[in-house]
Amino acid sequence: MLAVALPKGSHEATMCKGFGSTLTGPALQWYINLPSRSIASFAILSVKFVEQFASSRDLEKTSDSLYEIFQNRAELLRVPQIYPLNDKFIKLSLVNIMDNFGLGEYFSKEIEHFLLQIHKYESKDVERMPIWSKVDQLHKDSLEFRLLRMNGYNVSPDSFCWFLNDEEIQDHLKTNIEHLFLVMLSVYRATDLIFPGESELEKAKEFSRKLLEKNEFIDEIMVSSSHIKHEMSTPWMARLKHLDHRMWIEDRDQNVISTGKASSVCLHADKLTHLASKNFELRQAVYRREMEDLIKWVKKWGLYDIGFGREKTTYCYFAASSSTSLPFESAANVRKLMAKSGILITVADDFFDEEGSSDELEALTEAVIRWEGKQLKGYGKIIFKALDNHIKETAETYRKQHGTDITNHFRNIVRLY
């Protein structure tokens, strides 16, 4: 090999110029674009090159890397998306939001398909998980338990009550409750679906309730304190779903997915919120129309101002509307059937207890047994005619849908009463 000695004065310049021949791509382009006379030595060139391209290196990221992240005083908090959210957890959260908004029945096939997929035994080694992973796992498991059980799947409380035997996560939840209210709210809501003898759910409810009661530490950005107070003040089974839907729609900014490690991710689904609002308005209009039709029916058959007993038209309709879990459209006939039956039962009960004489009561009873009311008079005749119309109307609706006449079956039910 031929070695050529370079003059001492040209050594730095040769190194700087020769450095360019080792570069390609963006690095070479950067070298070419360096301003004239901006490099006085190879040391300066080296520093500038490192400053320009050091961030392009692929570094192995471990859990220890988190401890190397510092936040300056004036720097906004940006959590690096190193640990992506669990795909199943995101889908569960979206199904939950659809249910909160009252839109679930419009996507019933998709939701059923997804729930069927996740209703499988999934082994998880929780003990080996880092603490933030345990928190996410608890949130996912409690949400999965509630959605599966609400949709009729057989699922054990052990699927999320494992945290009751883990002191580490219990201590973490107690210490960091101001950031984990959303997780505890999910656990608390899951315990609403308790069956007799499920002691694990009773313990989970007690644990989550104690932490949720510390709402003076709540982060309103993550979850509204009004939601927590609402959940704890009124049992889930005693609430009106339609009004719950309104609460979630009005607080649409509270649709947050907690991520244990990385605070939270907020879902801004403007189109979904708009759809939910329009759906709520549509249901309100249907409820008003049904209520108006019911009042017309009560007045038509003389039950509205009968002159004695309780006037329960509105009460009976509200009770019927709130107690059915069928899809909204298919439940329309059920709401009418229940409301009219409730009104007739109330009027008949008051007639037997307060107004009717023994002869009138006996005559009405005989008329129902024979199903012939021509001989009736006064209030007994009013009650029987309204009852007969109700049964004929309901039987005709059923015949149109199923092709079977159930008039006699319906009458037999009334006779038994």
Side-chain angles (χ1 to χ4, degrees), residues 177-179 181 214-220:
I177 184 58
E178 66 271 19
H179 304 300
F181 271 102
K214 299 180 179 179
N215 51 43
E216 66 269 21
F217 302 111
I218 195 169
D219 184 349
E220 292 285 343

Side-chain angles (χ1 to χ4, degrees), residues 214-232:
K214 299 180 179 179
N215 51 43
E216 66 269 21
F217 302 111
I218 195 169
D219 184 349
E220 292 285 343
I221 296 178
M222 291 183 63
V223 57
S224 170
S225 59
S226 61
H227 284 184
I228 293 179
K229 292 176 182 178
H230 178 67
E231 290 287 341
M232 294 195 298

Side-chain angles (χ1 to χ4, degrees), residues 16 19 23 26-56:
C16 290
F19 180 67
L23 303 178
L28 179 59
Q29 190 62 46
W30 169 84
Y31 177 82
I32 294 173
N33 292 335
L34 285 173
S36 177
R37 300 183 181 277
S38 62
I39 304 298
S41 67
F42 185 75
I44 294 176
L45 177 63
S46 300
V47 170
K48 286 184 175 290
F49 181 82
V50 170
E51 288 178 350
Q52 179 68 24
F53 294 104
S55 61
S56 300

Side-chain angles (χ1 to χ4, degrees), residues 58-217:
D58 292 328
L59 301 176
E60 181 183 2
K61 298 176 179 63
T62 66
S63 57
D64 292 336
S65 304
L66 293 174
Y67 296 98
E68 299 175 3
I69 300 175
F70 296 93
Q71 180 185 5
N72 295 325
R73 289 182 178 273
E75 183 182 9
L76 295 176
L77 180 60
R78 298 182 179 88
V79 179
Q81 297 181 354
I82 298 175
Y83 304 99
L85 287 174
N86 181 281
D87 180 65
K88 185 186 295 185
F89 181 35
I90 293 177
K91 290 180 180 179
L92 282 167
S93 298
L94 289 174
V95 172
N96 182 53
I97 291 173
M98 299 282 255
D99 181 67
N100 291 339
F101 278 1
L103 297 173
E105 66 185 67
Y106 299 108
F107 303 90
S108 56
K109 291 183 179 179
E110 292 81 359
I111 292 175
E112 176 63 23
H113 177 70
F114 170 64
L115 294 179
L116 190 61
Q117 287 183 322
I118 66 173
H119 185 232
K120 299 176 182 178
Y121 177 76
E122 180 183 354
S123 59
K124 47 180 179 284
D125 190 2
V126 180
E127 293 183 359
R128 295 179 177 272
M129 291 182 180
I131 189 60
W132 55 265
S133 290
K134 288 184 178 182
V135 172
D136 283 347
Q137 188 69 41
L138 175 59
H139 195 176
K140 184 188 80 68
D141 290 346
S142 59
L143 185 56
E144 182 177 319
F145 170 86
R146 186 171 66 87
L147 293 175
L148 285 173
R149 183 165 279 196
M150 281 182 63
N151 286 272
Y153 288 89
N154 182 19
V155 55
S156 170
D158 293 336
S159 61
F160 81 95
C161 287
W162 51 264
F163 80 96
L164 295 172
N165 300 315
D166 190 321
E167 293 185 2
E168 181 188 25
I169 190 171
Q170 289 188 48
D171 291 341
H172 183 77
L173 291 169
K174 293 175 183 177
T175 305
N176 300 278
I177 184 58
E178 66 271 19
H179 304 300
L180 302 175
F181 271 102
L182 203 62
V183 180
M184 283 294 91
L185 182 60
S186 178
V187 171
Y188 186 82
R189 296 184 76 190
T191 62
D192 282 330
L193 299 168
I194 185 172
F195 292 149
E198 292 183 327
S199 57
E200 308 100 312
L201 291 182
E202 293 177 356
K203 294 177 182 177
K205 178 179 282 291
E206 182 64 20
F207 180 88
S208 56
R209 171 177 281 276
K210 287 182 178 179
L211 293 185
L212 290 174
E213 286 174 346
K214 299 180 179 179
N215 51 43
E216 66 269 21
F217 302 111

